[in-house]
């Protein structure tokens, strides 16, 4: 019974919605779970893992040699996010009580040599031993020599690219493979120039950088880590979605007849056929995309984030707003696919221009 | 200042050693560059033939023949025609699997699906699978010529070379 519910909750639009709600809840209630409740979270996730290990399919999945480190990594990510937020929350409390920051209060500074270097040396030795023992006891997941005429089913990218591979399902290759990763890389590189606010440099804080930290954590945990989980544990043969306790059945039939926005409007809604010329066919999609960005920029600059706009100046602000809007649009498009089987908003395959 | 330093290396001596070192270095780089260029033209090139015979039309059963998947084609026979479908997914180039129970080609990479005809109907792929030229040779065998491709979205599947009509 529990398994059926969890399998159902693992439907993409369900679990992504849950994750997004949980994300904002945890950020809001950080006071609670950066304290004792943090231990409860850890306990809960360990119990979940232990319970799930009784399921044959799930056990097979998490104990696969390639997936073991991913499970460890998820716990590590959870821990470090928790730790950073805990430090930040403590500092926020200290500031509220008028005490100096944690980092300033540390009177006893230590030297790099020998303190830090020794610690590093010991870590290095321990890590080496762990890796050697590990590689002896868990055999490397080697497969047959590569063969162009048969792709393994499912064919998965390396774990750190599973988010990008997931994007390829929803977007045209040039968007998913070039544009979006480009935005990620260039956006991260540009961030120090867009965001010149010196607050939070060299000390933990949340209150002083609410917006920046929330947006970054959202992008990282939902758009990157969650999609890695998704790609590792929920994507099965034929790249179909499978619940965590659902055996991977090659013949699982999922109706994925994707429909373009133009077909939704002209065929299903207006009942006239598709117009011949691509411009008239796609006019609604073009209007939607242009309108989204225009209204989005206007709304962020004039209403929602007006304070930032005045602070940062128009150039910085609109760069930031653009990256933010792209991130939101990416998720929105994924939802449209999950709920309405929408293929492309603009689909001009004549020019390989599909959004 | 004097031309000679304490260690006894003169400026001129130093420069000539430097010149020698750079010359040697450049020569080594040039040699390895040539070796690399040579490497691009191997003596023996193993390339599967682009056009090959697959058997007589009447030898094929109705449906998808997977025997030539290693050569990159599925031979599909319907009641009306025989054609050769490329086994390269038009999304990003994985090799789809033929699922006979569902009567579709399904790509394991991002889930694109194609009908037996090669026309895409699900998943992210923007266009149908490509077809290769097929014709009947003098000895009655079907020849697949992968040098010529026919794309549905360009209206090329009506080309007489893109299929063999069965009478
Ligand atoms: S390569 Fe076939 S679906 Fe992406």
């Amino acid at each position: 019974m529990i398994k059926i519910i969890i399998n159902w909750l693992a439907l993409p639009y369900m679990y992504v919605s849950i994750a997004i709600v949980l994300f904002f809840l945890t950020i809001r209630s950080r006071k609670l779970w950066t304290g004792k409740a943090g231990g409860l979270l850890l306990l809960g996730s360990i119990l979940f893992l232990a319970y799930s290990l009784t399921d044959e399919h799930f056990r097979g999945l998490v104990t696969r040699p390639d997936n073991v480190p991913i499970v460890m990594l998820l716990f590590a990510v959870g821990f470090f996010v928790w730790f950073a937020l805990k430090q930040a929350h403590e500092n926020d409390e200290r500031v509220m009580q008028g005490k100096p920051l944690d980092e300033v209060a540390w009177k006893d500074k230590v030297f790099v040599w020998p303190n830090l270097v020794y610690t590093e040396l010991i870590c290095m030795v321990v890590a080496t031993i762990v890796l050697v023992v590990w590689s002896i006891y868990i055999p490397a997941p080697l497969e047959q020599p590569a063969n162009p005429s048969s792709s393994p089913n499912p064919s998965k990218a390396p774990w750190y690219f599973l988010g990008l591979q997931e994007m390829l399902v929803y977007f045209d290759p040039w968007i998913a493979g070039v544009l979006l990763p480009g935005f990620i890389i260039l956006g991260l590189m540009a961030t120090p120039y867009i965001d010149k606010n010196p607050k939070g440099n060299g000390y933990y804080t949340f209150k002083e950088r609410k917006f920046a930290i929330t947006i970054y954590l959202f992008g990282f945990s939902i758009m990157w880590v969650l999609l890695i989980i998704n790609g590792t544990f929920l994507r099965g043969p034929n790249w179909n979605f499978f619940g965590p306790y659902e055996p991977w059945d090659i013949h699982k039939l999922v109706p994925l007849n994707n429909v373009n926005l133009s077909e939704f409007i002209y065929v299903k809604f207006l009942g006239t056929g598709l117009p011949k010329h691509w411009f008239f066919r796609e006019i609604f999609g073009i209007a939607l995309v242009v309108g989204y960005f225009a209204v989005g920029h206007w709304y962020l600059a004039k209403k929602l984030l007006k304070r930032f706009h005045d602070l940062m100046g128009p150039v910085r602000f609109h760069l930031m707003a653009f990256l933010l809007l792209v991130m939101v649009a990416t998720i929105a498009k994924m939802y449209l696919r999950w709920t309405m089987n929408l293929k492309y908003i603009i689909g001009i395959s004549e020019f390989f221009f599909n959004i | 200042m004097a031309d000679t330093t304490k260690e006894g290396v003169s400026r001129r001596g130093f420069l000539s050693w430097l010149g020698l070192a750079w010359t040697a270095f450049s020569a080594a780089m040039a040699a390895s560059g040539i070796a690399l260029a040579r490497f691009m033209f191997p003596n023996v090139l193993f390339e599967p033939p682009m056009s090959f015979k697959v058997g007589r039309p009447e030898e094929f059963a109705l449906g998808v023949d997977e025997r030539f998947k290693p050569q990159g084609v599925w031979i599909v026979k319907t009641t009306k025609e025989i054609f050769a479908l490329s086994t390269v997914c038009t999304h990003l180039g994985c090799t789809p699997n033929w699922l006979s129970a569902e009567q579709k080609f399904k790509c394991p990479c991002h889930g694109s699906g194609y009908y037996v005809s090669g026309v895409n109907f699900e998943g992210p792929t923007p266009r149908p699978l490509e077809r290769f030229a097929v014709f009947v040779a003098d000895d009655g065998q079907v020849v697949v010529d992968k040098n010529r491709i026919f794309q549905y979205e360009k209206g090329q599947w009506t080309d007489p070379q893109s299929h063999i009509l069965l009478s």
Side-chain angles (χ1 to χ4, degrees):
Chain A
M1 187 59 199
I2 302 181
K3 289 185 180 174
I4 296 179
I5 295 179
I6 293 187
N7 275 344
W8 178 69
L9 290 179
L11 284 172
Y13 56 89
M14 288 296 279
Y15 88 87
V16 173
S17 313
I18 295 173
I20 293 178
V21 171
L22 279 184
F23 173 78
F24 285 107
L25 273 184
T26 36
I27 293 280
R28 274 222 87 118
S29 59
R30 60 194 180 281
K31 184 173 158 101
L32 181 74
W33 66 274
T34 49
K36 293 256 158 51
L40 280 183
L41 276 185
L42 180 65
L43 195 68
S45 48
I46 290 179
L47 281 182
F48 171 73
L49 191 66
Y51 168 75
S52 305
L53 281 177
T54 60
D55 183 272
E56 203 182 328
H57 172 70
F58 190 93
R59 188 170 58 237
L61 215 54
V62 289
T63 53
R64 285 246 314 253
D66 358 16
N67 292 352
V68 174
I70 302 180
V71 176
M72 292 174 12
L73 172 109
L74 293 177
F75 277 92
V77 166
F79 171 75
F80 285 116
V81 172
W82 172 81
F83 186 70
L85 279 181
K86 173 181 142 72
Q87 298 280 80
H89 181 68
E90 273 167 15
N91 258 350
D92 289 345
E93 296 280 279
R94 295 174 79 97
V95 170
M96 273 221 307
Q97 295 159 5
K99 289 195 218 158
L101 292 170
D102 202 15
E103 287 83 353
V104 179
W106 286 341
K107 283 276 146 39
D108 44 343
K109 302 227 159 89
V110 293
F111 290 108
V112 166
W113 171 264
N115 302 52
L116 176 70
V117 178
Y118 268 15
T119 322
E120 283 179 346
L121 177 74
I122 292 170
C123 287
M124 195 181 82
V125 172
V126 171
T128 311
I129 293 174
V130 169
L131 284 179
V132 168
V133 172
W134 186 350
S135 59
I136 291 173
Y137 280 97
I138 300 188
L142 296 180
E143 295 170 23
Q144 294 94 22
N147 175 1
S149 72
S150 83
S151 307
N153 190 5
S155 284
K156 293 193 177 183
W159 61 267
Y160 41 84
F161 281 153
L162 284 173
L164 291 180
Q165 187 177 11
E166 190 66 23
M167 292 292 90
L168 283 166
V169 177
Y170 310 103
F171 295 94
D172 200 65
W174 69 267
I175 293 191
V178 182
L179 219 57
L180 291 178
F183 282 150
I184 296 175
I185 295 170
L186 293 180
L188 286 176
M189 277 164 40
T191 300
Y193 302 97
I194 295 176
D195 177 0
K196 297 201 305 177
N197 188 344
K199 291 212 175 117
N201 273 1
Y203 60 96
Y204 287 101
T205 175
F206 182 81
K207 277 227 175 101
E208 293 174 13
R209 303 306 308 268
K210 269 194 205 124
F211 180 77
I213 294 179
T214 311
I215 296 298
Y216 176 77
L217 274 184
F218 181 84
F220 178 64
S221 58
I222 304 286
M223 311 275 308
W224 200 257
V225 178
L226 194 73
L227 290 184
I228 288 176
I229 300 178
N230 168 79
T232 313
F233 301 112
L234 302 179
R235 285 296 197 176
N238 299 328
W239 211 246
N240 281 327
F241 271 113
F242 290 83
Y245 309 124
E246 187 183 349
W248 283 7
D249 172 14
I250 304 210
H251 297 291
K252 175 174 180 175
L253 212 51
V254 191
L256 290 174
N257 290 318
N258 298 328
V259 182
N260 283 345
L261 182 70
S262 53
E263 287 158 36
F264 265 117
I265 291 182
Y266 283 108
V267 180
K268 296 217 170 133
F269 199 66
L270 295 178
T272 61
L274 288 179
K276 278 266 144 25
H277 195 270
W278 59 265
F279 182 74
F280 296 107
R281 192 184 66 216
E282 303 303 336
I283 189 146
F284 292 102
I286 297 174
L288 189 69
V289 172
V290 174
Y292 168 77
F293 279 102
V295 173
H297 275 280
W298 171 82
Y299 182 71
L300 289 179
K302 290 280 170 314
K303 306 267 149 156
L304 198 61
L305 302 175
K306 186 163 186 336
R307 203 165 51 86
F308 289 163
H309 181 263
D310 300 342
L311 222 61
M312 297 163 73
V315 176
R316 288 210 171 80
F317 181 85
H318 283 292
L319 268 175
M320 186 274 289
F322 177 71
L323 293 171
L324 184 63
L325 287 172
V326 169
M327 182 163 91
V328 173
T330 308
I331 298 195
K333 169 94 198 273
M334 290 161 69
Y335 268 99
L336 288 174
R337 175 68 65 80
W338 293 328
T339 52
M340 303 166 49
N341 276 337
L342 178 84
K343 186 166 191 187
Y344 294 130
I345 296 174
I346 304 177
I348 312 175
S349 34
E350 287 90 336
F351 306 134
F352 298 101
F353 185 86
N354 306 307
I355 294 180
Chain B
M1 290 292 285
D3 215 4
T4 317
T5 57
K6 273 190 215 117
E7 290 83 18
V9 180
S10 69
R11 175 172 295 181
R12 179 169 302 167
F14 174 74
L15 281 181
S16 63
W17 274 112
L18 196 69
L20 191 66
W22 270 111
T23 315
F25 180 70
S26 316
M29 288 315 282
S32 69
I34 292 169
L36 186 71
R38 177 67 186 79
F39 190 70
M40 298 293 169
F41 301 94
N43 295 339
V44 189
L45 199 55
F46 178 73
E47 257 178 4
M50 287 299 278
S51 114
F52 46 86
K53 295 184 173 171
V54 292
R56 309 173 69 83
E58 57 275 13
E59 284 167 11
F60 289 95
L62 281 184
V64 176
D65 190 319
E66 293 215 89
R67 280 179 300 158
F68 300 96
K69 202 175 170 186
Q71 279 102 304
V73 289
W74 284 297
I75 312 291
V76 183
K77 182 177 185 180
T78 67
T79 47
K80 286 196 219 84
E81 54 180 359
I82 289 183
F83 51 85
L85 277 180
S86 157
T87 60
V88 177
C89 181
T90 46
H91 181 226
L92 283 176
C94 288
T95 308
N97 297 306
W98 167 243
L99 304 179
S100 56
E102 288 89 351
Q103 288 289 305
K104 69 178 180 187
F105 300 100
K106 185 75 173 166
C107 185
C109 289
H110 316 93
S112 291
Y114 306 86
Y115 293 125
V116 190
S117 61
V119 172
N120 56 316
F121 69 98
E122 63 177 3
T125 187
R127 58 197 186 89
L129 293 174
E130 287 166 358
R131 290 188 185 181
F132 294 127
V134 278
F135 55 91
V136 181
D138 295 340
D139 60 354
Q141 294 219 50
V142 176
V143 178
V144 176
D145 183 2
K146 292 181 26 176
N147 290 311
R148 270 175 304 152
I149 53 177
F150 297 94
Q151 288 167 269
Y152 174 79
E153 67 279 12
K154 294 191 184 160
Q156 291 166 334
W157 282 7
T158 49
D159 192 296
Q161 290 274 343
S162 72
H163 52 190
I164 298 170
L165 286 179
L166 301 173
S167 43

